């Protein structure tokens, strides 16, 4: 059975990695044939049953994916104003643009999915409550996410959540039809909202109020970036997410209390043993708390494991811990085939699996305090080592202070602050919530210096194949000390911890144009230097650029160029400064945000036409702004224009200049001809004049724009202008990040979405051109 479960899960994961959905009927036919074979050839079951489970898993995941994709918004309805009626599903999520609401559609034109997300640019979050029924005018678009090195795919996450469209609510023509629609799901979310409101009313605007809310109902949207950075740098993120520790604690407390109360009555004991009552109460408590917390993967794992173990005990059976773990794994994947795409799934299950493996290998003969301390130490070592391969592959970093920080935080936050917070929502005085907040504040103050020490292992993203030997190494290193061959485990970790990175030679460089939605961010790497041109907006840029830099192995930037003071170009500068060391800033000064302060930044120098320097045989020069540009001109007009020249090709980054600035560059005789051009101002109609296009004459023109953005960038007439000039036009909303490698004898470009395709990307029509190459002298 265990082999069959593993085969089923791996097959579901294999389906989620496909570039296109396969035809399912051959798989189903093979499944039917194998079923018949199993019936007639019982001796072959040892290998046929896992194969059968794999085929079933692949077919099941494909069927679910095909059904889910059919629920996406009809293409012809994109960006149209639609009238819909439905209910608010869950708690509204705050964002910098306005509250984001999940909406269960009840009445709408044909082609509108049953579940959508809406952003309200006009109303505060308090005006939206779970269970409300609204009649709204909305503008929708199909699920879409950025595609970059080191970042997840938002469209894939929406697919897994069953959300078929995203959009915005019109400011007018909205009507509240019912204050509350009583359904089980609405009652659940209303309870979550009431508990969150209870915490807010008792604690007010204290610094860690949102952490208490996260511990009680699993709602993390209010936690600030600075606090998340502290959690990541110390490795205690799992403590502020409702996880197995919290669910197990609640189940144990409720089960013990129920058993004690049941045992107080002789009549009750005669009807049902106290032990069975305690088990049933623990299972019910685990399920209730998991649902209250949003039923995330870590809570699902614990809930299923508690339920399976409890039901086995009630039936008088004894199941091995590994069997319970595998059955819970199968339940999660069966319920949600897209769970295998989430980092939380693998971190939760494999970390617990490592702890179970280490516990089975360790043997403590006594029950004194030394044995208990040894068991705790083994669990901590197994959790840290078990999460290392996944953290390296998924996030390219590992906090070295994590064991020490967890040694302090787990007993206080996990065993004291969390129970106090849960009990505090029932305490009318608010004393328990205040005490829980004080414990969290003291703990974070104590471990804060560990985060400031900067002891975080960071590296480039290792190849995916390095995960398998790393997992084998983890299993070896968790065996008892006397077992031979543990040195082999250290060797198997080397490909993961020291991945081979592509080295550039003198005279070559790489430019990565990130997909940051409606914004711009370009990384230029020479043999020994790194330059980042703009950072994107606070939202998209913050989600994309720091993880991408980490994935590419960039720990230090020799120069950060902030071309001008627009949010879509410089808005995420604070996030970049918090993520990597920056030696020099040219352009405008970075702006701090309330959720992301700037603790330190290098001096800022204005960009000026005529500034030139050379790194590793690559020439950099600013072409704009010149000395005659009016200091009072708009930000776009004062954009820094950077040119990069190497022996094999040139790159031009004109930021947001318009036709007037293009004409000035032409009049001044600036060297504009370039092989690769990032189209000015995202392809707006106010830029890319015919004269400028002819002067640059790019082979590849890249438009950086958000999907279905309301500016309608890039404009069709601008794209036509470049194509008429024999340029290949790629656009970030369709093609994802664009990577241009310039060598000594030529250059080539590739698109991230074409290199890392997913089956839901087919709906974008993105698979047309995979690469373009031009050598010197070729036309």
């Amino acid at each position: 059975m265990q082999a069959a479960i593993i085969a089923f899960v791996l097959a579901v994961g294999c389906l989620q990695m496909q570039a296109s959905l396969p035809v399912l009927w051959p798989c189903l036919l093979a499944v039917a044939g194998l079923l018949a074979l199993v019936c007639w050839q019982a001796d072959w079951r040892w290998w046929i049953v896992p194969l059968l489970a794999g085929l079933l898993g692949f077919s099941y995941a494909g069927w679910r994916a095909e059904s889910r994709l059919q629920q996406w918004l009809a293409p012809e309805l994109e960006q149209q104003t639609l009238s819909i009626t439905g209910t608010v599903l869950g708690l509204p999520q705050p964002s910098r643009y306005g509250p984001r609401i999940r909406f269960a559609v009840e009445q709408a034109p044909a082609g509108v999915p049953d579940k959508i997300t809406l952003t309200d640019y006009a109303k505060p979050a308090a005006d939206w409550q779970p269970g409300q029924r609204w009649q709204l005018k909305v503008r929708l678009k199909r699920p879409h996410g950025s595609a970059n090195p080191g970042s997840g795919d938002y469209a894939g996450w929406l697919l897994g959540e069953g959300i078929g469209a995203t959009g915005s609510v019109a400011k007018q023509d909205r009507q509240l039809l019912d204050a509350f629609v009583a359904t089980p799901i609405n009652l659940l979310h209303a309870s979550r909202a009431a508990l969150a409101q209870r915490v807010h009313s008792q604690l007010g605007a204290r610094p860690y109020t949102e952490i208490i809310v996260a511990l009680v109902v699993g709602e993390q949207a209010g936690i600030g970036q600075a606090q998340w950075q502290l959690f990541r740098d110390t490795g205690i993120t799992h403590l502020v997410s409702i996880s197995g520790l919290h669910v197990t604690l609640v189940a144990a407390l409720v089960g013990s209390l129920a058993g004690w109360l049941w045992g107080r009555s002789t009549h009750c004991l005669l009807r049902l043993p106290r032990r069975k009552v305690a088990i049933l109460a623990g299972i019910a408590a685990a399920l209730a708390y998991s649902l209250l917390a949003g039923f995330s993967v870590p809570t699902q794992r614990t809930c299923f494991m508690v339920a399976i173990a409890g039901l086995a005990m009630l039936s008088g059976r004894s199941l091995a811990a590994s069997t319970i773990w595998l059955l819970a794994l199968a339940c999660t994947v069966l319920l949600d085939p897209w769970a295998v795409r989430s980092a939380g799934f693998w971190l939760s299950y494999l970390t617990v699996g490592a702890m179970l493996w280490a516990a089975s290998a360790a043997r403590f003969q006594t029950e004194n305090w030394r044995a208990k301390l040894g068991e705790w130490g083994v669990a901590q070592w197994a959790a840290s080592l078990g999460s290392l391969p996944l953290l390296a592959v998924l996030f390219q970093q590992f906090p070295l202070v994590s064991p020490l920080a967890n040694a302090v935080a787990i007993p206080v936050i996990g065993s004291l602050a969390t129970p106090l917070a849960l009990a505090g929502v029932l305490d009318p005085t608010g004393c328990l919530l205040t005490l829980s907040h004080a414990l969290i504040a003291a703990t974070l103050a104590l471990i804060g210096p560990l985060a400031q020490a900067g002891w975080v292992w960071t590296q480039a993203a290792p190849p995916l194949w390095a995960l398998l030997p790393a997992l084998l190494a983890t299993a070896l290193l968790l065996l008892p000390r006397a077992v031979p061959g543990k040195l082999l485990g250290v060797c198997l970790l080397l490909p993961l911890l020291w991945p081979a990175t592509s080295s550039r030679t003198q005279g070559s460089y790489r430019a990565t144009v990130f997909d940051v939605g409606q914004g711009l961010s370009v990384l230029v790497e020479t043999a020994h230097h790194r330059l980042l041109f703009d950072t994107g907006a606070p939202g998209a840029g913050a989600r994309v650029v720091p993880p991408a830099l980490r994935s590419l192995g960039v720990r230090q930037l020799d120069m950060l160029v902030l071309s001008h003071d627009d949010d879509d170009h410089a808005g995420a500068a604070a996030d970049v400064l918090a993520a990597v060391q920056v030696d020099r800033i040219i352009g405008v000064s970075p702006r701090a945000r309330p959720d992301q302060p700037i603790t330190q930044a290098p001096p800022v120098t204005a960009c000026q036409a005529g500034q030139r320097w050379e790194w590793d045989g690559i020439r950099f020069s600013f072409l704009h702004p010149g000395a005659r540009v009016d200091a009072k001109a708009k930000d776009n007009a004062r954009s820094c224009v950077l040119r990069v020249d190497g022996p094999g090709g040139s790159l031009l980054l004109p930021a947001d200049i318009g036709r007037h600035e293009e004409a000035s560059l032409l009049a001044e005789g600036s060297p504009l001809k370039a092989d690769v051009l990032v189209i000015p101002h995202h392809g707006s109609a106010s830029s890319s004049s015919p004269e400028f296009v002819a002067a640059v004459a790019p082979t590849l023109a890249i438009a950086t724009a958000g999907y279905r953005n309301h500016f309608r960038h890039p404009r069709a007439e601008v794209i036509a202008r470049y194509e008429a000039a024999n340029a290949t036009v790629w656009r970030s909303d369709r093609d994802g990040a664009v990577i241009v490698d310039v060598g000594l004898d030529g250059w080539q470009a590739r698109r991230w979405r074409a290199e890392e395709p997913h089956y839901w990307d087919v709906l974008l029509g993105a698979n047309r051109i995979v690469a373009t190459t031009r050598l010197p002298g070729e036309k």
Side-chain angles (χ1 to χ4, degrees):
M1 181 180 69
Q2 294 187 355
I5 293 175
I6 294 173
F8 180 85
V9 173
L10 292 178
V12 171
C14 180
L15 186 281
Q16 301 300 344
M17 297 173 63
Q18 299 302 304
S20 60
L21 285 179
V23 178
L24 293 181
W25 68 263
C27 295
L28 297 176
L29 185 61
V31 167
L34 284 172
L35 278 172
L37 190 59
V38 168
C39 294
W40 288 99
Q41 299 290 341
D43 294 339
W44 293 1
R45 290 178 183 175
W46 66 273
W47 68 269
I48 290 181
V49 171
L51 179 60
L52 175 61
L55 288 173
L56 281 172
F58 194 81
S59 302
Y60 171 72
W63 167 67
R64 289 285 304 274
E66 188 174 353
S67 302
R68 191 66 63 85
L69 285 175
Q70 290 175 355
Q71 299 172 12
W72 277 17
L73 179 72
E76 62 271 13
L77 297 181
E78 284 193 294
Q79 299 298 87
Q80 292 189 21
T81 300
L82 306 172
S83 178
I84 65 172
T85 300
T87 58
V88 177
L89 189 64
L91 280 66
Q93 303 287 314
S95 73
R96 62 188 301 265
Y97 302 108
R100 187 174 293 114
I101 309 106
R102 290 197 184 191
F103 202 71
V105 178
E106 296 174 342
Q107 296 179 2
V112 175
D114 294 334
K115 189 189 298 184
I116 61 177
T117 60
L118 299 170
T119 301
D120 184 9
Y121 296 92
K123 278 185 174 290
D127 288 351
W128 298 94
Q129 295 297 325
Q132 291 177 333
R133 176 178 282 134
W134 287 86
Q135 185 176 6
L136 304 170
K137 292 291 181 65
V138 299
R139 292 173 66 89
L140 301 176
K141 56 186 178 182
R142 311 191 85 186
H144 182 274
S146 59
N148 295 277
S151 63
D153 193 313
Y154 182 57
W157 179 82
L158 290 173
L159 180 69
E161 293 291 308
I163 297 171
T166 62
S168 59
V169 182
K171 297 180 180 180
Q172 295 82 26
D173 298 328
R174 57 175 74 185
Q175 182 180 359
L176 179 62
L177 302 179
D178 293 297
F180 185 74
V181 179
T183 63
I185 189 67
N186 287 341
L187 289 171
L188 173 65
H189 288 300
S191 301
R192 299 180 68 222
L195 292 175
Q197 179 58 36
R198 171 77 176 165
V199 174
H200 283 121
S201 63
Q202 291 287 352
L203 295 179
R206 301 191 186 192
Y208 305 114
T209 297
E210 297 299 336
I211 296 179
I212 302 291
V213 173
L215 292 176
V216 173
V217 297
E219 184 56 54
Q220 303 173 348
I223 299 178
Q225 290 297 321
Q227 292 179 351
W228 278 123
Q229 190 67 43
L230 170 64
F231 303 151
R232 286 191 292 265
D233 290 344
T234 54
I236 65 168
T237 304
H238 63 99
L239 290 177
V240 295
S241 305
I242 294 179
S243 61
L245 177 65
H246 306 122
V247 176
T248 305
L249 182 63
V250 170
L253 289 175
V254 173
S256 300
L257 179 61
W260 180 79
L261 291 174
W262 192 265
R264 306 293 293 176
S265 170
T266 305
H267 176 72
C268 292
L269 286 174
L270 292 174
R271 295 180 64 88
L272 194 66
R274 179 170 57 185
R275 180 171 174 268
K276 289 189 176 182
V277 171
I279 292 173
L280 290 172
I283 294 173
L287 177 60
Y289 188 39
S290 299
L291 291 172
L292 198 65
F295 214 53
S296 62
V297 169
T299 59
Q300 287 181 39
R301 173 188 54 76
T302 309
C303 180
F304 291 145
M305 290 185 71
V306 168
I308 292 168
L311 293 175
M313 294 172 66
L314 289 175
S315 64
R317 297 181 180 181
S318 177
L319 292 179
S322 59
T323 303
I324 296 172
W325 178 80
L326 281 171
L327 287 173
L329 180 72
C331 290
T332 299
V333 175
L334 192 63
L335 181 68
D336 180 12
W338 294 274
V340 297
R341 297 195 64 254
S342 70
F345 173 84
W346 296 106
L347 283 171
S348 178
Y349 273 103
L350 292 187
T351 301
V352 171
M355 295 171 67
L356 294 175
W357 173 264
S360 66
R363 291 291 183 266
F364 296 94
Q365 302 298 329
T366 61
E367 291 295 332
N368 56 25
W369 68 270
R370 289 187 179 88
K372 295 295 183 183
L373 185 61
E375 291 176 0
W376 181 84
V378 168
Q380 288 299 306
W381 164 242
S384 299
L385 187 61
S387 62
L388 175 61
L390 293 169
L391 292 173
V393 170
L394 298 172
F395 305 110
Q396 300 85 51
Q397 63 179 10
F398 181 80
L400 300 177
V401 299
S402 175
L404 182 58
N406 277 282
V408 176
I410 287 177
V412 180
I413 297 180
S415 301
L416 294 176
T418 299
L420 287 172
L422 293 172
V425 296
L426 304 176
D427 174 24
T429 66
C431 294
L432 294 180
L433 285 174
T434 303
L435 180 57
S436 177
H437 185 279
L439 288 173
I440 292 173
T443 304
L444 296 183
L446 186 62
I447 67 175
L450 296 177
Q452 296 170 4
W455 293 344
V456 179
W457 173 278
T458 59
Q459 61 174 59
L464 192 58
W465 62 263
L467 184 60
L468 181 58
L471 293 176
L472 293 176
T474 301
L476 284 173
L477 293 173
L478 290 177
L479 290 174
R481 189 180 305 174
V483 175
K486 299 188 76 171
L487 182 61
L488 176 61
V490 177
C491 298
L492 291 174
L493 280 176
L494 294 181
L496 181 86
L497 300 180
W498 281 275
T501 56
S502 58
S503 57
R504 274 160 289 282
T505 59
Q506 189 82 0
S508 65
Y509 68 94
R510 169 178 290 177
T512 304
V513 183
F514 294 121
D515 175 14
V516 291
Q518 190 66 19
L520 178 66
S521 184
V522 183
L523 175 67
V524 181
E525 303 173 87
T526 67
H528 304 291
H529 294 83
R530 309 289 184 269
L531 178 148
L532 183 67
F533 188 92
D534 285 339
T535 64
R543 290 191 302 269
V544 168
V545 179
L549 295 177
R550 190 166 58 243
S551 171
L552 297 172
V554 177
R555 304 182 183 180
Q556 176 183 356
L557 291 172
D558 298 276
M559 184 181 295
L560 171 61
V561 178
L562 301 177
S563 63
H564 60 296
D565 203 23
D566 281 359
D567 248 9
D568 60 336
H569 287 254
D575 302 275
V576 171
L577 290 170
V580 297
Q581 178 184 342
V582 177
D583 294 341
R584 185 182 180 189
I585 298 178
I586 288 185
V588 300
S589 297
R591 289 182 294 173
R593 305 194 312 272
D595 64 331
Q596 187 59 274
I598 296 177
T599 56
Q600 56 182 355
V604 181
T605 305
C607 60
Q608 192 73 32
Q611 292 175 326
R612 297 182 180 87
W613 70 96
E614 184 172 315
W615 285 341
D616 309 319
I618 305 301
R619 299 182 303 278
F620 296 80
S621 56
F622 283 112
L623 307 183
H624 187 80
R628 290 181 292 180
V629 174
D630 188 358
K632 297 182 180 180
K634 294 182 178 181
D635 285 339
N636 288 354
R638 291 183 281 114
S639 294
C640 304
V641 176
L642 180 65
R643 180 181 177 87
V644 184
D645 286 286
S650 52
L651 168 70
L652 186 61
L653 302 173
D656 276 358
I657 62 172
R659 292 190 174 215
H660 179 75
E661 293 73 42
E662 293 171 357
S664 297
L665 290 172
L666 290 169
E668 294 166 0
S670 300
L672 296 178
K673 186 173 179 58
D675 297 293
V676 181
L677 167 72
V678 176
I679 296 176
H681 201 189
H682 319 291
S684 74
S686 61
S687 59
S688 295
S689 64
E691 297 78 12
F692 177 82
V693 173
V696 179
T699 301
L700 175 63
I702 305 168
T704 58
Y707 179 71
R708 297 287 187 180
N709 63 89
H710 64 277
F711 301 106
R712 292 187 290 165
H713 294 164
R715 295 282 182 155
E717 61 270 24
V718 171
I719 299 299
R721 198 173 298 149
Y722 281 102
E723 291 177 341
N726 296 321
T728 296
V729 178
W730 286 354
R731 40 192 295 175
S732 62
D733 59 343
R734 185 193 65 200
D735 302 311
V738 175
I739 302 172
V740 182
D741 286 299
V742 182
L744 296 175
D745 56 353
W747 62 274
Q748 64 178 7
R750 49 199 172 93
R751 304 166 308 153
W752 191 256
R753 204 179 291 278
E755 288 204 335
E756 301 287 335
H758 303 291
Y759 59 82
W760 53 87
D761 288 338
V762 176
L763 302 179
L764 294 175
N767 301 311
R768 288 193 289 179
I769 305 172
V770 175
T772 183
T773 306
R774 182 190 178 198
L775 300 176
E778 290 186 350
K779 300 296 183 182

